[in-house]
Amino acid sequence: GKMQDTLKVGNAAKSLGKIIGTILFINHQLAAFGSSRQSGTISKTVGACKRHQHEEPSYQYIVSFYWAFQTLTTVGFGDISGNNNVEYVFACCWMIFGVGFYSYNIGN
């Protein structure tokens, strides 16, 4: 459309922008969930884990975003990890989602 003509954005750049936007949106959703303070749910696994439970919610969100992003991208430094079976399974599911997401996008 007009915006594409004005900015001279090619199809490859549009596709890359969509992928990055999707990654950031999905990562934000998981980080917001991981940093919430709901008791008795998986949300205690990431930002609200024992080590960060007394920190500010904004800090917990950043830690959750960091964990979700490094896990999704398969970098996984290991500085934030699970403490029980539920957390390990949740992290494995997130890694499988990440691999599937990248495989799908590279395949297309």
Side-chain angles (χ1 to χ4, degrees), residues 1-46:
K2 291 181 181 181
M3 188 169 147
Q4 184 176 354
D5 293 338
T6 303
L7 297 176
K8 306 265 191 247
V9 177
N11 288 335
K14 283 186 354 184
S15 294
L16 183 61
K18 286 180 185 178
I19 291 170
I20 290 171
T22 302
I23 289 170
L24 293 176
F25 176 74
I26 292 170
N27 209 64
H28 161 74
Q29 295 299 314
L30 185 67
F33 178 72
S35 62
S36 67
R37 295 177 186 257
Q38 301 169 10
S39 60
T41 65
I42 270 180
S43 65
K44 289 194 166 197
T45 61
V46 184

Side-chain angles (χ1 to χ4, degrees), residues 5 8 16-18 22 24-25 28 40 52 58 62 67 74 76 78 80 88 103 106 108:
D5 293 338
K8 306 265 191 247
L16 183 61
K18 286 180 185 178
T22 302
L24 293 176
F25 176 74
H28 161 74
H52 301 292
S58 59
I62 292 169
W67 175 86
T74 68
I80 301 172
Y88 295 138
S103 297
I106 290 170
N108 285 326

